Amino acid sequence: MDVGFIIDIMPEILEGFSTTVRLFLWSMLFSTPLGLALALMRLSPLGPFRWVAGFYGWLVRGIPLILIMFYVFFALPEFGEAFLLSPFWSAVAALSVWTASYQAEAIRSGVLAVDQGQFEAAEALGMTKLHYMRRIVLPQSVRIIVPPFTGNAINTLKQTSLATVITVPEMSLLTTRIISREFNALEPLLALAIIYLALTTVLVFAQQGLERAFRLKA
Amino acid sequence: MAPLDNVAPLVKVEGLTKSFGDNQILNGIDLEVAAGEVVSIIGPSGSGKTTILRCLNLLERPDGGRIEIDGQMLCEDGANGRINFAGKSEIRKIREEVGMVFQRFNLFPHMTALENVVEAPMAVKGADKAVAKARALELLDSVGLSHRADHYPLQMSGGQQQRVAIARALAMDPAVMLFDEVTSAVDPELAGEILLVMKQLAEQGMTMIVVTHEMGFAADVSDRVLFIDHGLVIEQGKASQVLGSPQQDRTKAFLKAVLERTPMAEENADSPPVETEESWGTGAGVDESEQIASLESEVARLRQELDAATTTDEPTTDEPTESGE
Ligand SMILES: Nc1ncnc2c1ncn2[C@@H]1O[C@H](COP(=O)(O)OP(=O)(O)O)[C@@H](O)[C@H]1O
Ligand SMILES: [Mg+2]
């Protein structure tokens, strides 16, 4: 293994760094509210909401992400010009749809973990559901949601590499280009792994910070 | 405070029924509570006491019967045997009138004592923040906890948490307060501080329905005691009657069992007084540990009376006095 070679190719791989990070951040930005909405729909007393959200989860979690990417990029434009997205935004759309299905489960299980007595105390005080979900239930579920939520985020970060298949110039795509040009896989793959590890490590620390921030004062 | 005959009852329950699956829990409960009256509900575990209270603010939806609170109808039997409920927003309006204190406190753990108390008045009644806060501090003071306003629930003892829960319910200015075995989840030596707050509340004229196993409290504070078994009111009357000279065998058996299981009067006789560091807002000048001790000696007195009553083998009927099956 040639450490000097790793250092040489780092800058070229890092040209895709910002694309990877932007894929990740946009996907989190869209998937979080979508996941929250899906979670609340699945918890709704209204059947149709539950069914739609349940169907969404069953469908999206039941097929590979690569298929969703292909679908958004290649198949969706057949429904009209408006659906013709750039590779980057196609990847963001696919990652958002995919991530939301998992975040919905994380959020839903967090809400279910809140003591029934909390709902009852809030209702007995005459609060509306909207109010107590926002002020009483969700703030308490955040603590429970953080670990699975960041787990999903770490997965999404790694899965941005799949955007390679629809030609988004993120880090993995640039790395495969180096590999085919240099006829050498060992160092480029190692360099790539180091960068992903650094990014996921940041998320692990973020998780620990969030867990500390939402710990109940005792 | 004695109920006034010429005033419509504040709480009016008629023929309340409720079952869970095949389990019929309430078999037609009738209950009227006048403004200012304190009613204690006693009865064996599983007899339906909690369910009655939960029906009164529709945390549980009854199967049949009629509930009216402060002139507002919560539910009533409609045509074709179906029960009709008030609309969502009417139910919320009535819930503002009905304060509830739970066995396990159910304080909001992510909020301080003060935040727990101001949340509902601000959210539900649209109270001004400064006004709500001042009132909350007043209430925390009245339950002896002004020095705990900025503490989180998990930083407080069970007795303190339950007193915050009482303040939280009072902050809505309810017409009636429901208490569901509010001392049974706290250490026995902390029960007294909760009971004292409730006693002060009763003296201030609050209408209260109290499910309790604290016979001393029921005897000392309530105007009326209801004995419930299998979802039926078996016996009711003045506290001294029901607890001192019960008429029904089931009531006697229950009271005997309860009092034998609560030897607290003797055990606590020479234990140190409860939390004297705290400043009590109300009841100034009265030593609260003295008051608690008097509640406890009430239990001892009742046990003696009861023993006397149950050993004299006078014939009794087993028929419920009202709402027969
Ligand atoms: N949500 C529920 N589902 C099924 N059974 C219940 C439910 N709530 C209460 N019960 C049953 O109803 C009976 C009466 O309960 P409860 O009113 O809590 O009695 P008490 O407060 O007198 O001990 C108990 O047997 C209990 O198991
Ligand atoms: Mg109970």
Side-chain angles (χ1 to χ4, degrees):
Chain A
M1 191 187 68
D2 184 346
V3 176
F5 184 47
I6 293 181
I7 293 168
D8 285 344
I9 56 176
M10 259 311 175
E12 194 177 340
I13 297 176
L14 283 173
E15 274 173 34
F17 181 83
S18 93
T19 306
T20 294
V21 170
R22 280 187 302 123
L23 278 176
F24 169 69
L25 291 178
W26 281 115
S27 301
M28 291 307 293
L29 190 74
F30 290 128
S31 65
T32 303
L34 182 56
L36 176 63
L38 286 164
L40 294 178
M41 282 169 74
R42 284 217 51 192
L43 293 164
S44 165
L46 301 175
F49 279 135
R50 284 201 309 276
W51 302 327
V52 167
F55 178 76
Y56 180 101
W58 168 78
L59 181 70
V60 173
R61 291 193 297 152
I63 55 178
L65 172 57
I66 194 169
L67 210 151
I68 305 176
M69 286 233 184
F70 282 147
Y71 195 88
V72 173
F73 188 59
F74 294 117
L76 217 49
E78 289 174 20
F79 292 100
E81 284 284 288
F83 296 107
L84 185 62
L85 298 175
S86 71
F88 178 83
W89 290 111
S90 297
V92 168
L95 281 164
S96 300
V97 162
W98 180 79
T99 307
S101 68
Y102 291 92
Q103 298 300 36
E105 285 303 288
I107 294 168
R108 186 172 74 99
S109 55
V111 170
L112 289 177
V114 172
D115 182 14
Q116 189 61 29
Q118 295 289 306
F119 293 80
E120 295 184 349
E123 288 195 348
L125 287 163
M127 293 183 195
T128 62
K129 186 167 185 178
L130 186 70
H131 182 84
Y132 69 70
M133 286 305 285
R134 193 170 59 79
R135 292 277 303 166
I136 309 295
V137 176
L138 286 175
Q140 288 184 63
S141 12
V142 168
R143 194 171 52 87
I144 306 158
I145 292 169
V146 164
F149 186 92
T150 26
N152 292 337
I154 287 171
N155 261 332
T156 299
L157 175 67
K158 292 181 295 183
Q159 297 294 16
T160 57
S161 60
L162 266 187
T164 298
V165 300
I166 53 173
T167 71
V168 178
E170 43 68 62
M171 296 193 299
S172 303
L173 182 74
L174 300 188
T175 305
T176 54
R177 280 186 192 156
I178 297 172
I179 292 170
S180 46
R181 188 183 68 218
E182 305 282 339
F183 294 110
N184 183 345
L186 180 65
E187 281 86 359
L189 289 180
L190 196 61
L192 183 62
I194 289 169
I195 302 170
Y196 277 119
L197 268 171
L199 282 172
T200 51
T201 305
V202 170
L203 288 180
V204 169
F205 279 119
Q207 169 177 348
Q208 286 169 2
L210 286 172
E211 280 182 32
R212 226 172 295 125
F214 289 109
R215 188 170 298 156
L216 290 176
K217 320 273 186 311
Chain B
M1 197 176 291
L4 300 171
D5 291 335
N6 54 348
V7 178
L10 189 64
V11 176
K12 197 169 174 190
V13 177
E14 281 167 17
L16 192 65
T17 58
K18 172 74 187 172
S19 51
F20 293 108
D22 293 336
N23 243 351
Q24 183 83 21
I25 303 300
L26 300 183
N27 289 292
I29 297 284
D30 298 323
L31 171 65
E32 286 192 4
V33 183
E37 201 182 8
V38 177
V39 174
S40 288
I41 299 180
I42 61 171
S45 178
S47 56
K49 306 181 296 295
T50 296
T51 306
I52 295 174
L53 288 193
R54 290 167 58 82
C55 285
L56 289 180
N57 60 6
L58 290 193
L59 284 183
E60 213 70 76
R61 297 210 156 205
D63 301 332
R66 184 168 195 289
I67 302 176
E68 194 184 295
I69 291 177
D70 207 4
Q72 295 161 286
M73 194 273 295
L74 259 183
C75 62
E76 73 187 332
D77 288 321
N80 63 41
R82 288 174 55 104
I83 185 165
N84 296 325
F85 293 97
K88 244 186 190 173
S89 62
E90 288 144 52
I91 291 174
R92 275 202 305 275
K93 266 270 166 290
I94 299 172
R95 281 174 173 165
E96 291 180 33
E97 301 284 309
V98 183
M100 189 169 210
V101 185
F102 300 85
Q103 195 169 348
R104 298 191 55 254
F105 330 135
N106 297 347
L107 287 181
F108 307 132
H110 58 304
M111 296 180 171
T112 64
L114 184 66
E115 288 165 350
N116 265 277
V117 179
V118 297
E119 183 67 23
M122 286 176 59
V124 179
K125 294 196 151 176
D128 172 71
K129 185 168 185 179
V131 174
K133 198 174 154 186
R135 169 92 176 112
L137 285 170
E138 221 172 82
L139 284 166
L140 285 173
D141 188 46
S142 76
V143 299
L145 287 174
S146 46
H147 62 307
R148 292 281 185 272
D150 294 325
H151 287 231
Y152 287 88
L154 296 179
Q155 299 169 329
M156 291 185 272
S157 72
Q160 292 174 334
Q161 288 187 57
Q162 194 61 293
R163 285 185 277 149
V164 173
I166 293 173
R168 177 177 69 176
L170 289 174
M172 292 296 288
D173 289 319
V176 54
M177 288 280 286
L178 313 177
F179 294 86
D180 187 11
E181 289 191 41
V182 294
T183 56
S184 56
V186 304
D187 293 334
E189 71 268 24
L190 300 180
E193 64 192 43
I194 300 169
L195 296 175
L196 179 59
V197 165
M198 292 166 65
K199 186 176 175 177
Q200 287 168 350
L201 204 52
E203 281 162 0
Q204 288 159 17
M206 176 58 77
T207 311
M208 297 163 58
I209 305 178
V210 185
V211 169
T212 187
H213 283 302
E214 305 275 355
M215 294 304 147
F217 177 86
D220 188 31
V221 177
S222 38
D223 299 303
R224 191 148 49 98
V225 172
L226 263 71
F227 173 68
I228 308 271
D229 199 8
H230 296 295
L232 270 176
V233 180
I234 303 298
E235 184 164 356
Q236 66 169 309
K238 291 237 284 275
S240 54
Q241 282 166 11
V242 176
L243 300 175
S245 48
Q247 298 305 301
Q248 305 297 324
D249 284 345
R250 278 199 261 179
T251 319
K252 287 179 194 175
F254 169 76
L255 286 172
K256 196 161 177 353
V258 168
L259 293 178
E260 268 163 12
R261 257 186 279 117
T262 342
M264 84 182 200
E266 279 99 337
E267 273 176 15
N268 284 6
D270 44 20
S271 63
V274 207
E275 278 193 78
T276 39
E277 39 106 13
E278 300 195 346
S279 60
W280 293 79
T282 53
V286 189
D287 182 359
E288 63 272 13
S289 61
E290 224 169 72
Q291 290 198 21
I292 292 165
S294 88
L295 278 178
E296 285 164 357
S297 67
E298 191 72 17
V299 174
R301 190 186 59 74
L302 271 165
R303 165 132 33 90
Q304 285 169 1
E305 276 186 19
L306 194 66
D307 279 347
T310 42
T311 43
T312 56
D313 251 329
E314 56 188 22
T316 45
T317 60
D318 204 6
E319 293 297 305
T321 44
E322 43 196 81
S323 36
E325 272 137 305

